[in-house]
Amino acid sequence: MHSHLGKLPRFDLVEGCTPIERLSRLEQKLGYEGCPPIYVKRDDLMGIGGGGNKLRKLEFLIGEALNQGCDTFITTGARQSNHARLSAAASARAGLSCELVLTDTVARDDEAYRRNGNVLLDDLFGAICHRRPADVDALAVAQERAEQLSAKGRRAYVVGSGGSSPLGCLGYAVCAEEIIAQEKDLGLRFGRIILPNGSSGTHAGLAAGLKAAGDEPGRIESFTVLAPIKKARAVTIDLAVRTLALIDPASAFVEGDIVVTDGQLGEGYGVPTDAMFEAVKLVARSEGLLLDPVYGGKAFAGLIAAIREGAWPNEEPVLFVMTGGLPGLFAYELAFRQN
């Protein structure tokens, strides 16, 4: 681990490295002569709260909250936020109270979306949920709530959507080191590392980690699932620069180091697409693996489209970072039954 990372407060939420697996059956199902070897980094396989990529960020965020003597963890997200659910679970593990400011960002109002999936689990983990309309500044609400708690002698730690602060992004700088080590063990090098881009923290952290290790962050390609491409790219670059400054201030990104792609966003965040449905069903029926409909499903649809278009050299293995989000499938029950 980079020396700077080892000095920061950290609360253990991830047990060891997550495995990398080859999807040979999927390669056969795709049936393209030019199909590259496809691997997945199983960041859905983490024990706490149903698992998922946000736990890597929460190790540093919860660690800092505890180091500051906080008793409450407050964060924001959409109604079906994976980050919110895992914040609630991680807070329970750490002995912190958890409060969530959840906005109705996605225009869905069926019963499964309102009551099942992450919403069910937020309550189960004991979080206090503050529900707000889509146009409300959730972070401002969270900060106001922290001030209310402070007036009562409490101390709250506040972080925004996705836990994607530079500190939170360090979780994926650690993951970058993991991937480099696993490549050596496997005797291969991934030509592309593919992932979804929501709040941009996973991509930013991986890019910073690879850059600090003297590797090539330009082999990471994320598909925006939240913001229009111009904004997604700008946010990712800014966050990656600030994250790199925490671990290797002497390094700097150059042109081509941050690659964010569009084409899979569809009508917007959390709005299903035909390509997403196809990707989720294809991976489930060929490999028995479950992608979520909001993040992984859309990004994997982008991976499939790129392979079909012959966009990547067929001799270079591709790694997909499987970020979790399984409870989202239950929230989208109606959408899957209608498709």
Side-chain angles (χ1 to χ4, degrees):
M1 181 185 294
H2 198 284
S3 59
H4 282 65
L5 293 175
K7 296 173 184 176
L8 293 167
R10 191 171 169 189
F11 183 74
D12 290 339
L13 295 167
V14 183
E15 294 184 8
C17 295
T18 58
I20 289 177
E21 303 170 356
R22 185 168 180 178
L23 304 185
S24 300
R25 283 267 303 138
L26 175 65
E27 293 168 17
Q28 294 167 15
K29 268 243 169 133
L30 286 172
Y32 293 95
E33 192 174 324
C35 183
I38 303 170
Y39 291 79
V40 288
K41 173 77 168 158
R42 297 292 307 278
D43 270 16
D44 58 318
L45 291 181
M46 298 179 189
I48 293 172
N53 64 325
K54 309 302 184 183
L55 287 173
R56 290 190 184 272
K57 302 175 185 180
L58 286 163
E59 286 199 319
F60 288 92
L61 298 171
I62 296 280
E64 184 180 50
L66 293 171
N67 191 55
Q68 290 181 359
C70 296
D71 54 39
T72 305
F73 190 88
I74 306 177
T75 193
T76 68
R79 182 186 287 256
Q80 284 289 342
S81 166
N82 295 306
H83 167 66
R85 178 247 311 171
L86 288 171
S87 293
S91 295
R93 172 63 68 92
L96 298 171
S97 297
C98 182
E99 300 201 14
L100 308 171
V101 181
L102 303 178
T103 54
D104 292 320
T105 309
V106 180
R108 294 193 69 85
D109 198 40
D110 56 272
E111 186 173 6
Y113 190 84
R114 284 187 293 106
R115 298 169 63 91
N116 207 335
N118 287 309
V119 172
L120 173 67
L121 298 179
D122 294 340
D123 292 337
L124 190 61
F125 293 130
I128 296 171
C129 298
H130 308 275
R131 308 205 186 281
R132 296 290 186 273
D135 58 353
V136 166
D137 184 341
L139 189 56
V141 174
Q143 289 165 340
E144 182 182 349
R145 178 60 182 156
E147 290 169 8
Q148 292 170 357
L149 291 173
S150 179
K152 297 178 181 179
R154 305 268 299 279
R155 185 165 186 178
Y157 184 92
V158 178
V159 69
S161 177
S164 292
S165 67
L167 183 68
C169 293
L170 294 178
Y172 268 88
V174 174
C175 184
E177 295 179 348
E178 255 184 52
I179 290 171
I180 292 169
Q182 288 173 305
E183 284 180 316
K184 290 177 182 175
D185 290 342
L186 291 167
L188 53 78
R189 179 176 171 79
F190 298 111
R192 292 286 188 283
I193 300 171
I194 307 300
L195 61 149
N197 188 318
S199 57
S200 302
T202 302
H203 188 162
L206 281 173
L210 289 186
K211 192 72 176 183
D215 206 302
E216 299 173 21
R219 60 189 176 124
I220 305 165
E221 183 172 341
S222 65
F223 287 86
T224 181
V225 300
L226 173 61
I229 185 63
K230 188 176 180 180
K231 181 179 180 181
R233 193 173 285 133
V235 170
T236 306
I237 291 170
D238 176 67
L239 202 46
V241 167
R242 290 191 290 143
T243 304
L244 183 60
L246 291 179
I247 52 176
D248 192 0
S251 290
F253 291 106
V254 298
E255 186 70 29
D257 275 350
I258 306 295
V259 182
V260 184
T261 305
D262 60 0
Q264 298 301 324
L265 179 58
E267 294 181 14
Y269 175 74
V271 181
T273 63
D274 289 342
M276 178 278 290
F277 284 123
E278 182 200 11
V280 170
K281 291 175 182 178
L282 184 59
V283 173
R285 294 170 186 179
S286 61
E287 297 286 353
L289 298 180
L290 297 170
L291 296 169
D292 81 288
V294 178
Y295 296 92
K298 286 187 174 181
F300 209 96
L303 181 151
I304 292 170
I307 289 173
R308 287 174 173 166
E309 293 162 7
W312 300 330
N314 61 7
E315 70 277 4
E316 288 186 351
V318 174
L319 179 67
F320 183 81
V321 181
M322 200 162 168
T323 52
L326 167 62
L329 286 171
F330 302 105
Y332 281 79
E333 177 196 4
L334 182 62
F336 274 89
R337 292 201 183 281
Q338 291 175 338
N339 184 266

